[in-house]
């Protein structure tokens, strides 16, 4: 059963390793904005059709680029992330990208946040 939540309020997403992100809900608007991201367009082509661009050699590359584009849109705050001296830092686009370059964090974001939306997309196309 699909549970329809009408709240647009951000919520905390625990990624493990002491890291939590305050994220907006994953929505059609977020995914459309991510498809418009220049990095996504560069890998998917001008039409940003991710299904046509995907292939066994490109799936992982596309997944990382899309995850970063989505994260730059939805991450509003975070906890458990600091600079080299251990001082808390604010999320910025470059820092969000750097965070998702850490494999366990990327994998957690991909499975706990993005995968739910992609599963619904697959169900729609079945």
């Amino acid at each position: 059963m699909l549970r329809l939540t009408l709240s647009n309020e951000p919520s905390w997403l625990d990624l493990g390793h002491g890291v939590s992100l305050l994220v907006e809900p994953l929505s059609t608007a977020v995914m459309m904005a991510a498809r418009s991201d220049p990095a996504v367009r560069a890998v998917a082509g001008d039409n940003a059709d991710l299904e046509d661009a995907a292939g066994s050699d490109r799936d992982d590359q596309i997944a990382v680029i899309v995850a970063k584009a989505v994260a730059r849109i939805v991450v509003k705050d975070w906890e458990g992330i600091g600079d080299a001296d251990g001082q808390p830092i604010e999320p910025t686009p470059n820092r969000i990208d750097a965070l998702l370059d850490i494999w366990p964090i990327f994998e957690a974001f991909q499975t706990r946040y993005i995968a739910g939306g992609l599963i619904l997309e697959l169900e729609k196309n079945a």
Side-chain angles (χ1 to χ4, degrees):
M1 171 184 286
L2 176 65
R3 297 178 190 266
L4 185 60
T5 304
L6 299 178
S7 174
N8 290 334
E9 295 298 315
S11 60
W12 286 99
L13 175 67
D14 180 11
L15 298 181
H17 309 283
V19 173
S20 295
L21 306 177
L22 182 63
V23 294
E24 293 179 355
L26 185 60
S27 66
T28 300
V30 167
M31 291 306 292
M32 295 307 290
R35 285 182 172 197
S36 297
D37 184 278
V40 173
R41 286 193 169 279
V43 75
D46 288 336
N47 65 356
D49 188 342
L50 299 179
E51 292 174 12
D52 290 344
S56 59
D57 295 337
R58 296 179 61 183
D59 286 348
D60 291 341
Q61 179 187 12
I62 292 170
V64 171
I65 291 169
V66 170
K68 287 180 177 182
V70 168
R72 288 191 299 268
I73 295 166
V74 301
V75 173
K76 301 305 172 195
D77 199 3
W78 58 23
E79 294 179 346
I81 301 171
D83 63 14
D85 297 324
Q87 297 300 312
I89 55 176
E90 298 295 317
T92 64
N94 288 341
R95 290 173 177 165
I96 290 168
D97 284 356
L99 178 67
L100 290 181
D101 282 336
I102 301 169
W103 175 251
I105 299 297
F106 165 78
E107 191 69 15
F109 184 75
Q110 187 79 343
T111 57
R112 296 178 190 170
Y113 185 77
I114 292 180
L118 296 180
I119 289 169
L120 290 176
E121 181 71 17
L122 289 174
E123 288 175 358
K124 179 179 81 174
N125 290 330

